[in-house]
Amino acid sequence: MKKIYVLDTNVLLQDPYAIYSFEENHVVIPAIVLEEVDSKKTLMDEIGRNARTFSKLLDNIRKKGKIFEAIPLDNGGTLKIELSDYSELDKIFVEKTNDNRIISVANKIRLSEEESEETRPVVLVSKDTLVRVKADALGIQAEDYMSDRVINDVHLYKGLRELKVDVGLINNFYNNALSLSDLPMGLEFHPHEFVLLKDSLGSSSSAVGIVCKKDNVLKRLVYENPAVWGIEARNLQQTLALELLMRDDIPFVTLVGKAGTGKTLLSLASGLEQVQDMNKFVKLLIARAIVPLGNDIGYLPGEKQEKLRPWMQPIYDNLEFLFNTQKPGELDGILDGMGNIEVEALTYVRGRSIPKQYIIIDEVQNLTKHEVKTILTRVGERSKIVLMGDPAQIDHPYLDEYNNGLTYAVEKFKDQAIGGHITLEKGERSHLAQLAADIL
């Protein structure tokens, strides 16, 4: 039986092509949703772009017929604009907010369907949790919009797997690279995936290697005991992160981890090492996603660098630690003297062409899939780019841990030979910081 899906505004602002995600069912858009979309179309960010995209799409669709009746879509479904939002819910929702009016439309359609001979299920689709809760409390079926999700609930690629093997295999690994066919049958490995080998009988014997898909082998790490710009790895995941950050043959790296796991510090230390000491790159470019992403930085007082400072302070904190500065303003003098370290807001990075640079992008979980694509397509020849963040800490109103740009990049590049990923799990900032990240 076909269903009727009533879409909330946030669905269309997240995915302007969402109307095609419901197969051969009927899609209804309340008139108030059009008003909300219209109010966003002048924004110079991803939300504004999506609002404009949907507006153009709807304008083309309406040429096919009367949109207030139902227009057939290319996927076999139909699209209709519902003009009236009057219902009995006006007695329950005293304040006529836009959310309540959308719920009222869904309820009106549901009541109408219950009186018809062929009762079709009515589903309200919204990314707003409270809208779904209120709808459910009123007996209206409500769902989150799932088509934009990159992964299922807890299956984000970690970049490291643990295998129980015979101790003889571990000994062989230390003598020579292991063929992937020597590992347990039926396993599919990703390029540059790390494998932790442990003795199946429970002894302390263990080894860690990195997958080389080209040769179909598991190799030892190039940087087994790394110390980069005075920073040493404190746990296994940090060692693996430095392996990815320092390797010349891995130009794209993604790091995921909670606050305090060392993502920013390790990335900056690796970048400084390769720019300042090894001269592999001409510049270290560090950028950070600013939420709300757009023109809000213009409201801060001062010149560009003064505006940037509050947003970029976490970067400066790590640089002060790496350069061991003791006095206020000392770091600014160091950076000015070097001339090849640039700290920018992501707003100013987009649209550039960036060759032969070591690029670090922080807080990528607050970027959309389109924004991540825009940034990656700016990377020039002989550059290396590091994307990092924590999908559990998202400030963007239309993103979650399943559909953000960082998750998208991790999943899309896990099978690409130029990429590498590791999830950092152990906090090293302090015991308090780790405890807060775990229990709060």
Side-chain angles (χ1 to χ4, degrees):
M1 180 182 294
K2 293 183 178 181
K3 297 181 179 180
I4 299 175
Y5 289 94
V6 181
L7 306 190
D8 195 354
T9 311
N10 46 52
V11 174
L12 300 173
L13 293 178
Q14 172 66 25
D15 179 7
Y17 298 98
I19 57 175
Y20 295 112
S21 301
F22 299 94
E23 301 177 343
E24 298 180 355
N25 293 293
H26 306 288
V27 176
V28 175
I29 300 177
I32 188 60
V33 168
L34 300 184
E35 295 291 331
E36 289 193 308
V37 170
D38 185 65
S39 68
K40 304 293 185 182
K41 67 183 182 183
T42 58
L43 298 178
M44 301 305 294
D45 57 11
E46 183 74 3
I47 294 175
R49 187 189 73 87
N50 287 343
R52 293 188 293 273
T53 299
F54 175 70
S55 299
K56 294 175 183 177
L57 178 66
L58 194 61
D59 189 43
N60 289 329
I61 291 175
R62 73 178 183 85
K63 297 175 183 177
K64 299 179 181 179
K66 298 179 179 179
I67 203 166
F68 58 87
E69 292 182 349
I71 294 179
L73 298 175
D74 294 338
N75 63 347
T78 63
L79 175 66
K80 176 184 178 181
I81 303 297
E82 181 62 47
L83 299 177
S84 174
D85 62 6
Y86 170 78
S87 79
E88 294 297 321
L89 295 186
D90 292 338
K91 299 175 183 177
I92 300 174
F93 297 136
V94 178
E95 187 176 355
K96 206 167 187 178
T97 64
N98 290 344
D99 285 348
N100 293 339
R101 294 172 69 179
I102 293 170
I103 295 173
S104 293
V105 169
N107 188 63
K108 173 191 173 183
I109 298 173
R110 179 178 66 93
L111 294 176
S112 177
E113 286 298 314
E114 289 176 353
E115 296 175 356
S116 65
E117 295 181 0
E118 182 184 358
T119 302
R120 296 170 295 182
V122 178
V123 183
L124 175 59
V125 183
S126 176
K127 298 196 70 65
D128 189 325
T129 304
L130 289 180
V131 168
R132 298 198 302 269
V133 169
K134 288 194 288 186
D136 188 64
L138 294 164
I140 304 170
Q141 186 178 345
E143 297 178 357
D144 191 1
Y145 180 63
M146 309 294 284
S147 296
D148 63 338
R149 286 194 171 188
V150 182
I151 59 170
N152 293 324
D153 289 347
V154 289
H155 300 298
L156 179 64
Y157 172 59
K158 291 183 177 295
L160 170 66
R161 76 172 75 189
E162 180 180 315
L163 296 179
K164 301 287 187 179
V165 297
D166 185 87
V167 68
L169 203 62
I170 297 176
N171 294 332
N172 291 340
F173 172 75
Y174 280 114
N175 295 325
N176 200 357
L178 283 180
S179 171
L180 295 182
S181 59
D182 293 334
L183 299 175
M185 296 289 291
L187 296 178
E188 290 292 333
F189 296 94
H190 302 288
H192 300 131
E193 182 177 6
F194 296 103
V195 179
L196 176 61
L197 303 176
K198 286 191 173 183
D199 182 9
S200 58
L201 297 180
S203 74
S204 59
S205 296
S206 64
V208 63
I210 186 169
V211 171
C212 177
K213 292 285 284 187
K214 180 181 178 181
D215 300 325
N216 198 42
V217 295
L218 183 69
K219 291 184 175 181
R220 294 181 63 172
L221 304 183
V222 176
Y223 299 89
E224 291 188 321
N225 298 294
V228 178
W229 200 262
I231 300 298
E232 296 183 357
R234 293 188 176 184
N235 57 56
L236 174 61
Q237 283 82 13
Q238 288 194 354
T239 298
L240 304 182
L242 288 175
E243 174 81 6
L244 298 176
L245 292 167
M246 295 297 295
R247 290 271 293 262
D248 295 336
D249 59 335
I250 308 177
F252 178 73
V253 176
T254 51
L255 302 178
V256 167
K258 298 177 182 177
T261 51
K263 304 182 300 297
T264 304
L265 185 64
L266 294 174
S267 299
L268 289 173
S270 300
L272 289 168
E273 179 87 6
Q274 294 175 75
V275 172
Q276 297 294 333
D277 292 354
M278 303 173 74
N279 296 317
K280 289 183 179 180
F281 306 94
V282 298
K283 181 183 288 187
L284 173 60
L285 174 61
I286 310 142
R288 196 166 189 261
I290 293 176
V291 179
L293 189 64
N295 296 327
D296 282 20
I297 193 171
Y299 295 108
L300 295 176
E303 299 299 324
K304 175 186 170 183
Q305 291 304 318
E306 294 176 288
K307 295 172 184 287
L308 282 175
R309 195 72 187 218
W311 295 102
M312 310 304 290
Q313 192 58 47
I315 301 295
Y316 287 110
D317 289 342
N318 282 278
L319 288 173
E320 287 173 352
F321 177 80
L322 289 169
F323 284 104
N324 193 29
T325 58
Q326 304 295 326
K327 301 176 182 178
E330 185 179 353
L331 177 63
D332 293 332
I334 293 174
L335 297 181
D336 291 340
M338 288 182 168
N340 58 357
I341 301 175
E342 184 178 358
V343 181
E344 283 281 21
L346 200 55
T347 305
Y348 301 104
V349 173
R350 293 169 63 186
R352 295 171 56 180
S353 181
I354 312 173
K356 205 177 180 182
Q357 297 186 27
Y358 195 101
I359 309 162
I360 299 172
I361 311 294
D362 197 9
E363 301 292 336
V364 181
Q365 77 277 3
N366 283 317
L367 300 181
T368 66
K369 292 179 282 187
H370 177 76
E371 287 167 337
V372 164
K373 177 181 177 180
T374 301
I375 293 166
L376 292 179
T377 54
R378 299 297 96 200
V379 179
E381 290 291 335
R382 293 186 294 169
S383 284
K384 179 163 185 158
I385 185 166
V386 181
L387 304 183
M388 58 187 178
D390 179 8
Q393 292 188 347
I394 294 179
D395 304 308
H396 194 290
Y398 297 115
L399 297 179
D400 57 37
E401 58 187 311
Y402 308 111
N403 66 7
N404 65 86
L406 180 58
T407 299
Y408 182 62
V410 171
E411 289 297 309
K412 288 297 183 179
F413 275 87
K414 67 182 181 184
D415 291 317
Q416 302 301 317
I418 66 170
H421 170 75
I422 189 65
T423 298
L424 302 169
E425 296 179 341
K426 186 178 180 181
E428 296 292 352
R429 181 174 291 160
S430 68
H431 175 67
L432 172 60
Q434 176 63 27
L435 187 62
D438 289 338
I439 70 174
L440 295 182

